[in-house]
Amino acid sequence: MDEAVFCPVDGSIMITASHLPFNRNVFKLFTNDGGLGKADIKDILERAADIYNQFTEESLMNTEGKALKSIKKVDYTAVYASDLVKEVRKTAGSIEKPLEGFHIVVDAGNGAGGFFCGN
C-alpha cells in the first residue's frame, strides 16, 4: 500500500454521473460496511442539523481551523490513471503499449470530451 495516497476514512460520497436524467443525479453515501439507505441518511441529516443548531460563531471558527489543519491533498486522478494503465497492461499479457496502433475514441459525453482529448 502506498502510504502517500492511503487515506483511511469513515465514509465516502459518490456523485452520480451527469448522463443520468437531472432528477437522478444524487450524492450516494457509503461507509466501510457499504451503501447507506434512507433511514441512515435521515439519521445523518438530523444529527447534522442538531450540531449546526448548537454552533456559535466562535465554535464554528475553531472547528473550521481544526478542519483546515487536518486536510490532506492527494492527487487521486494520477493514482487512478496509473492503476488503470497497470491493469490494461496486465490484462493484455504484460505488453508495455497494448493499445499501440489502435485508433481510440473516447465518448465522455456532455462536452467533457475536450478534457480527455485536449481540445
Side-chain angles (χ1 to χ4, degrees):
M1 170 88 38
D2 183 354
E3 291 297 320
V5 298
F6 181 67
C7 183
V9 297
D10 296 313
S12 64
I13 300 173
M14 178 179 79
I15 304 171
T16 61
S18 62
H19 68 274
L20 298 171
F22 74 93
N23 62 346
R24 297 287 189 248
N25 287 326
V26 297
F27 292 97
K28 295 181 180 178
L29 307 172
F30 299 88
T31 68
N32 290 335
D33 294 328
L36 303 182
K38 287 182 181 181
D40 300 313
I41 295 168
K42 181 181 180 204
D43 182 50
I44 290 170
L45 293 174
E46 288 172 348
R47 289 179 188 210
D50 289 341
I51 291 168
Y52 177 80
N53 289 330
Q54 294 175 24
F55 270 133
T56 63
E57 191 168 327
E58 182 181 349
S59 69
L60 184 59
M61 296 299 263
N62 290 337
T63 301
E64 183 178 8
K66 288 177 185 176
L68 289 173
K69 289 178 186 175
S70 70
I71 292 173
K72 175 183 174 185
K73 292 187 178 185
V74 178
D75 183 0
Y76 282 111
T77 301
V79 173
Y80 174 77
S82 175
D83 288 348
L84 187 60
V85 167
K86 289 175 190 171
E87 282 302 312
V88 169
R89 286 179 177 152
K90 184 172 92 176
T91 303
S94 298
I95 299 170
E96 179 65 24
K97 295 183 179 180
L99 304 177
E100 189 172 46
F102 286 93
H103 179 81
I104 308 296
V105 177
V106 176
D107 179 4
N110 292 334
F115 170 80
F116 295 102
C117 299
N119 291 337

